[in-house]
């Protein structure tokens, strides 16, 4: 036992306990002039209780509050602004804002065109599908989204995830069935996102912890980069597996006969250029545009070089034909029945959740930087609608891109109009420019992807996880190694499993602490955190740092009894007064269920056998209401439930212990 009073105080305390136990009473007003009873909250009906809990869970932001006491026409306008926020902020839009959005939109368009062509390849699609996605999706989001800074389009992680999951179902990715399954998965990804938003279930995405996301994104970035070795080295026969062992075996087995030196020169040269521009932009923030336009410069220069040298005749793989024209309808291509429907739903739900997690995280990040708020459920509806419409217009799953959003922010965007500008540029590209990309080498696209995904590897975040929380670091590494040594879906499964395991561990094994009194105060704190805190003779004070449910009630009871046994042994060996009272500090206990009530009944019986009295300090409104309803408060004794630990010590502790 760590910190106790002096020997003289101990002797006096023992005598005081013997003399005062029979004579001191909680209702003696002369001795206890400032003891306050724990109040019971006003009784609520079952309907009121259910209504309150329902509103707190699903409508804590009171989305319908602004409609109260409004006329019918005003409610219609407010409803329209809720669904389409552009009608709300558009009233205050001006030329100054448009200037910032125009520059930002043109900047991110120059970045997204080469990225879209490259990311479509990750999903095993023709290049024009990436361009289609960046034309329709940002346009829909601009009208329905609440983030001012997020830039919408295909992203590397979701593209790889789709490509991996879809080829598991249909290995021949050049078949028409594969394309139909892409649109089906995109449709159900949108339905999933819309459902989460409309049903106010956005909190579900928070179950994927930050640590798991860091590990998953880092592993996915390395997996994506390794996949690009095929294009960077000019390898024609490459493994379809994504784990690092299979990829490296495929790379080195092709070293003697499949590597193309012209392709390697092109790829390495432009990769070095992209990394250099990225370094310059990182060191000098005002030169962010250098990194933003460098992918387009690489595409233009490399395409021109390949065209004039006819390097494609020497084995340099090129994009070849990119279909021009606007998006054709794909409504009839979606599977609403048949053997691929279940696969489309499953892949759509997985990719939709990953896309949603990334978009909401990006939106919240930039909203915090500019000090405005975004409505998470509204974002989900906007992203879902965007992908549902996209699935009907030959697009695949789109979400917020961190690299493009960062460029959008740095370029001075003011509103979502920057997405509209980008969409218009993509439309012009589809109508006019796409034939010019025919001779773009695949090695340059591989270099663009490698450069883009490097920002997903957050080493500083991993180091911080190690310093702050070892379990979080374990979750991060589990997701990371799951992705690079198995597959993206296994890594995602590990990330979710570890996130849930942490929640279960914290719920089923909550912390408990022995409290002592800080010298010169009436404050009681953890004796491990505050070594000078002294325990009270004849009393053991324990704080439970969690709600008490069926999942942890027996553990809490057993842990309290173990504290009691350990303390009794130490106090006997130190000749400190034996424990007469056990005080349970319940400030952190926000709720208790019937299992928790039964656990306290069992605890009370165990204490009675030891001739120890149970005291409770500061139970919350829900807890005290349930204690009364279960009659447990009567078993414990109304005079043994206190507002503070100090009151319990003043009532039953040795004289002067509360001073």
């Amino acid at each position: 036992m760590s910190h106790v009073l002096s020997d003289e105080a101990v002797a006096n305390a023992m005598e005081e306990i013997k003399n005062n136990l029979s004579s001191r009473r909680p209702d003696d007003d002369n001795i206890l002039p400032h003891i306050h009873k724990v109040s019971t909250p006003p009784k609520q009906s079952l309907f009121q209780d259910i209504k309150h809990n329902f509103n707190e869970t699903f409508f804590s932001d009171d989305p319908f509050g602004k409609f109260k006491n409004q006329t019918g026409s005003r409610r219609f306008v407010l409803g329209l602004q809720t669904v389409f926020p552009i009608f709300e902020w558009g009233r205050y839009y001006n030329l100054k804002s448009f200037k910032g959005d125009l520059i930002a939109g043109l900047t991110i368009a120059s970045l997204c065109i080469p990225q879209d062509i490259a990311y479509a390849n990750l999903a095993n699609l023709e290049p024009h599908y990436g361009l289609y996605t960046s034309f329709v999706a940002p346009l829909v989001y601009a009208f329905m989204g609440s983030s001012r800074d997020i830039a919408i389009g295909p992203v590397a992680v979701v593209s790889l995830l789709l490509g991996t999951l879809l080829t598991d179902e249909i290995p021949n990715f050049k078949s028409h069935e594969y394309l139909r399954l892409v649109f089906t998965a995109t449709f159900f990804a949108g339905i999933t996102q819309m459902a989460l938003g409309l049903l106010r279930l956005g909190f579900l995405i928070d179950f994927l912890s930050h640590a798991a996301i860091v590990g998953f994104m880092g592993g996915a970035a390395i997996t994506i980069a390794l996949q690009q070795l095929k294009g960077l080295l000019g390898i024609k026969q490459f493994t379809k597996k994504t784990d690092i062992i299979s990829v490296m075996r495929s790379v080195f087995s092709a070293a003697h006969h499949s590597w193309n030196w012209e392709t390697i020169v092109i790829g390495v040269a432009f990769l070095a250029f992209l990394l250099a521009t990225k370094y310059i932009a990182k060191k000098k923030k005002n030169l962010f545009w250098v990194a933003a336009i460098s992918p387009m410069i690489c595409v233009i220069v490399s395409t021109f070089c390949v065209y004039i040298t006819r390097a494609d005749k020497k084995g340099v793989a090129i994009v070849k034909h990119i279909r021009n024209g606007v998006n054709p309808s794909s409504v009839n291509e979606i599977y609403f029945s048949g053997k691929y429907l279940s696969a489309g739903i499953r892949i759509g739900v997985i990719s939709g959740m990953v896309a949603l997690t990334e978009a909401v995280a990006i939106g919240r990040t930039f909203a915090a930087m500019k000090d405005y708020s975004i409505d998470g459920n509204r974002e989900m509806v906007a992203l879902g609608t965007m992908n549902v419409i996209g699935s009907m217009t030959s697009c695949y799953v789109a979400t917020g891109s961190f690299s493009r959003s960062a460029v959008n922010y740095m370029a001075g965007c003011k509103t979502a109009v920057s997405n509209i500008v980008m969409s218009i540029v993509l439309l012009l590209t589809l109508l006019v420019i796409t034939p010019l990309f025919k001779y773009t080498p695949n090695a340059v696209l591989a270099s663009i992807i490698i450069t883009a995904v490097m920002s997903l590897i957050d080493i500083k975040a991993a180091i911080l996880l190690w310093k702050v929380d070892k379990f979080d670091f374990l979750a991060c590494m589990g997701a990371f190694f799951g992705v690079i040594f198995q597959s993206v879906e296994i890594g995602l499964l590990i990330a979710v499993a570890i996130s849930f395991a942490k929640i279960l561990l914290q719920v089923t094994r909550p912390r408990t602490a022995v409290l002592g009194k800080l010298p010169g105060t009436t404050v009681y704190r953890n004796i491990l955190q505050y070594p000078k805190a002294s325990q009270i003779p004849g009393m053991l004070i324990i704080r439970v740092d969690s709600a008490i449910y069926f999942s942890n009630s027996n553990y809490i009871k057993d842990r309290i009894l173990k504290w009691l046994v350990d303390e009794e042994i130490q106090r006997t060996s130190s000749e400190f007064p034996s424990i007469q009272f056990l005080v349970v500090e319940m400030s952190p206990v926000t709720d208790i269920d019937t299992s928790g009530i039964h656990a306290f009944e069992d605890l009370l019986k165990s204490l009675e056998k030891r001739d120890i009295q149970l005291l409770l300090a500061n139970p919350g409104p829900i807890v005290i209401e349930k204690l009364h309803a279960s009659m447990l408060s009567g078993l414990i004794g109304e005079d043994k439930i206190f507002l503070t630990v100090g009151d319990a010590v003043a009532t039953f502790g040795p004289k002067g212990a509360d001073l």
Side-chain angles (χ1 to χ4, degrees):
M1 184 196 62
S2 24
H3 302 279
V4 297
L5 301 178
S6 64
D7 294 338
E8 183 180 355
V10 168
N12 293 334
M14 292 178 66
E15 186 67 26
E16 192 69 35
I17 290 172
K18 292 178 182 178
N19 295 335
N20 289 347
L21 273 177
S22 59
S23 60
R24 297 184 67 184
R25 295 289 185 270
D27 55 354
D28 189 344
D29 292 333
N30 294 325
I31 298 174
L32 306 170
H34 301 297
I35 302 298
H36 297 277
K37 290 293 182 182
V38 176
S39 298
T40 303
K43 185 69 177 176
Q44 286 189 322
S45 66
L46 178 62
F47 175 76
Q48 289 175 322
D49 194 34
I50 293 174
K51 180 182 177 183
H52 174 75
N53 291 332
F54 181 83
N55 288 336
E56 281 298 309
T57 302
F58 298 103
F59 301 100
S60 57
D61 56 344
D62 191 20
F64 303 113
K66 60 184 177 182
F67 292 95
K68 294 178 181 177
N69 302 320
Q70 300 290 342
T71 62
S73 59
R74 181 59 183 162
R75 287 179 181 177
F76 174 77
V77 172
L78 290 173
L80 194 65
Q81 291 175 349
T82 300
V83 178
F84 301 103
I86 192 171
F87 292 120
E88 182 177 0
W89 54 260
R91 295 179 299 163
Y92 311 105
Y93 199 70
N94 54 42
L95 188 60
K96 183 179 179 181
S97 297
F98 177 70
K99 181 180 178 182
D101 288 334
L102 178 63
I103 296 172
L106 293 173
T107 306
I108 57 176
S110 67
L111 174 63
C112 83
I113 291 172
Q115 283 188 347
D116 291 343
I117 295 172
Y119 291 161
N121 186 50
L122 284 177
N124 299 315
L125 294 170
E126 295 295 326
H128 53 267
Y129 289 108
L131 299 175
Y132 287 166
T133 304
S134 277
F135 164 51
V136 172
L139 206 57
V140 176
Y141 180 85
F143 282 85
M144 299 188 67
S146 57
S147 174
R148 305 172 195 168
D149 302 278
I150 195 169
I152 297 295
V155 296
V157 173
V158 176
S159 298
L160 177 67
L161 182 64
L162 269 178
T164 304
L165 295 176
L166 290 167
T167 49
D168 287 343
E169 296 294 329
I170 304 177
N172 182 13
F173 53 80
K174 293 185 178 180
S175 66
H176 187 64
E177 289 77 13
Y178 181 89
L179 185 60
R180 292 188 65 186
L181 189 56
V182 170
F183 298 144
T184 305
T186 303
F187 176 81
F188 285 106
I191 292 295
T192 301
Q193 293 168 338
M194 284 181 66
L196 289 174
L198 292 172
L199 298 176
R200 314 287 292 179
L201 297 174
F203 59 85
L204 292 177
I205 65 171
D206 293 330
F207 281 98
L208 195 60
S209 68
H210 171 70
I213 292 173
V214 169
F216 173 74
M217 289 297 186
I222 290 179
T223 300
I224 292 167
L226 290 174
Q227 290 284 310
Q228 301 317 301
L229 292 176
K230 175 186 178 182
L232 200 67
L233 303 175
I235 301 173
K236 291 181 172 58
Q237 298 296 325
F238 201 72
T239 181
K240 293 182 179 179
K241 297 180 179 179
T242 59
D243 64 281
I244 188 171
I245 295 174
S246 299
V247 170
M248 296 313 295
R249 185 186 293 124
S250 182
V251 168
F252 289 113
S253 64
H256 298 292
H257 57 85
S258 291
W259 288 17
N260 182 278
W261 71 266
E262 292 94 343
T263 301
I264 295 173
V265 170
I266 293 172
V268 172
F270 284 102
L271 178 61
F273 172 73
L274 289 167
L275 293 175
T277 57
K278 193 170 185 178
Y279 177 79
I280 292 170
K282 185 177 180 180
K283 288 297 181 182
K284 296 185 177 182
K285 300 296 184 184
N286 60 325
L287 295 178
F288 69 91
W289 55 271
V290 174
I293 66 170
S294 58
M296 182 59 78
I297 293 173
C298 289
V299 168
I300 294 172
V301 173
S302 64
T303 302
F304 179 73
C305 291
V306 169
Y307 177 74
I308 62 172
T309 60
R310 296 316 306 263
D312 56 308
K313 302 292 186 182
K314 301 176 183 178
V316 175
I318 58 174
V319 172
K320 296 181 180 178
H321 176 68
I322 298 181
R323 187 185 305 169
N324 62 342
V326 296
N327 308 33
S329 172
S330 55
V331 175
N332 296 326
E333 302 293 332
I334 300 172
Y335 287 115
F336 291 108
S337 61
K339 64 178 181 178
Y340 292 123
L341 176 61
S342 60
I345 295 173
R346 177 175 58 83
I347 296 170
V349 170
I350 295 172
S351 58
M353 290 293 286
V354 173
L356 196 58
T357 302
E358 188 170 357
V360 172
I362 293 169
R364 287 174 177 170
T365 298
F366 288 102
M369 292 170 67
K370 284 191 174 181
D371 193 26
Y372 67 91
S373 61
I374 61 171
D375 186 331
N377 290 295
R378 185 189 295 182
E379 283 294 286
M380 293 173 194
V381 173
L383 292 165
T385 305
M386 172 186 81
N387 281 314
V388 168
I389 294 175
S391 69
M392 300 177 181
T393 52
S394 301
C395 303
Y396 72 99
V397 180
T399 187
S401 165
F402 187 82
S403 60
R404 270 175 261 177
S405 298
V407 170
N408 197 29
Y409 171 81
M410 295 294 291
C413 73
K414 303 299 181 184
T415 67
V417 171
S418 60
N419 276 289
I420 298 176
V421 174
M422 179 181 71
S423 181
I424 293 171
V425 173
L426 263 294
L427 174 61
L428 296 175
T429 302
L430 285 166
L431 293 175
V432 180
I433 305 176
T434 48
L436 301 179
F437 294 121
K438 178 180 179 180
Y439 290 98
T440 301
N442 289 339
V444 168
L445 300 180
S447 301
I448 291 170
I449 292 177
I450 292 172
T451 307
V453 299
M454 283 182 63
S455 59
L456 298 177
I457 304 173
D458 197 341
I459 297 175
K460 289 183 179 179
I463 294 173
L464 183 63
L465 290 173
W466 170 258
K467 291 179 179 179
V468 174
D469 191 321
K470 300 299 187 290
F471 193 94
D472 270 354
F473 181 78
L474 178 64
C476 176
M477 290 297 101
F480 177 80
F481 288 117
V483 172
I484 65 173
F485 283 107
Q486 284 295 320
S487 62
V488 175
E489 59 267 34
I490 293 297
L492 183 62
L493 183 63
I494 291 174
V496 173
I498 293 177
S499 297
F500 272 99
K502 183 178 181 181
I503 294 171
L504 290 175
L505 186 63
Q506 290 177 336
V507 169
T508 59
R509 294 296 182 267
R511 296 181 185 274
T512 57
V514 174
L515 305 185
K517 179 174 170 290
L518 293 177
T521 72
T522 57
V523 176
Y524 291 81
R525 291 291 182 266
N526 188 341
I527 60 173
L528 295 179
Q529 184 179 1
Y530 297 92
K532 293 183 179 180
S534 301
Q535 295 193 61
I536 306 300
M539 307 186 87
L540 176 63
I541 306 167
I542 294 178
R543 186 184 67 217
V544 179
D545 292 335
S546 167
I548 303 175
Y549 295 126
F550 66 93
S551 58
N552 61 21
S553 56
N554 286 324
Y555 170 79
I556 291 173
K557 179 199 70 176
D558 294 339
R559 192 71 187 88
I560 290 174
L561 290 174
K562 188 175 186 308
W563 275 119
L564 186 63
V565 171
D566 292 344
E567 286 293 327
E568 284 183 325
I569 292 172
Q570 293 184 44
R571 295 192 184 197
T572 301
S573 62
S574 65
E575 298 184 357
F576 202 61
S578 61
I579 297 172
Q580 304 286 331
F581 301 96
L582 172 67
V583 183
V584 179
E585 217 282 61
M586 302 187 74
S587 297
V589 181
T590 56
D591 200 357
I592 187 170
D593 66 2
T594 53
S595 297
I597 297 292
H598 289 308
F600 265 89
E601 290 174 351
D602 294 340
L603 176 64
L604 188 60
K605 293 175 184 177
S606 298
L607 294 176
E608 287 175 349
K609 292 177 182 179
R610 292 177 166 84
D611 198 24
I612 296 174
Q613 298 186 54
L614 175 63
L615 311 178
L616 302 182
N618 196 27
I622 296 176
V623 175
I624 193 64
E625 185 179 10
K626 292 185 178 181
L627 292 180
H628 286 307
S630 64
M631 305 299 179
L632 181 59
S633 58
L635 291 175
I636 296 173
E638 295 287 349
D639 60 337
K640 294 175 183 175
I641 301 176
F642 297 91
L643 185 63
T644 66
V645 173
D647 288 349
V649 173
T651 305
F652 288 102
K655 187 176 180 181
D658 58 320
L659 299 178

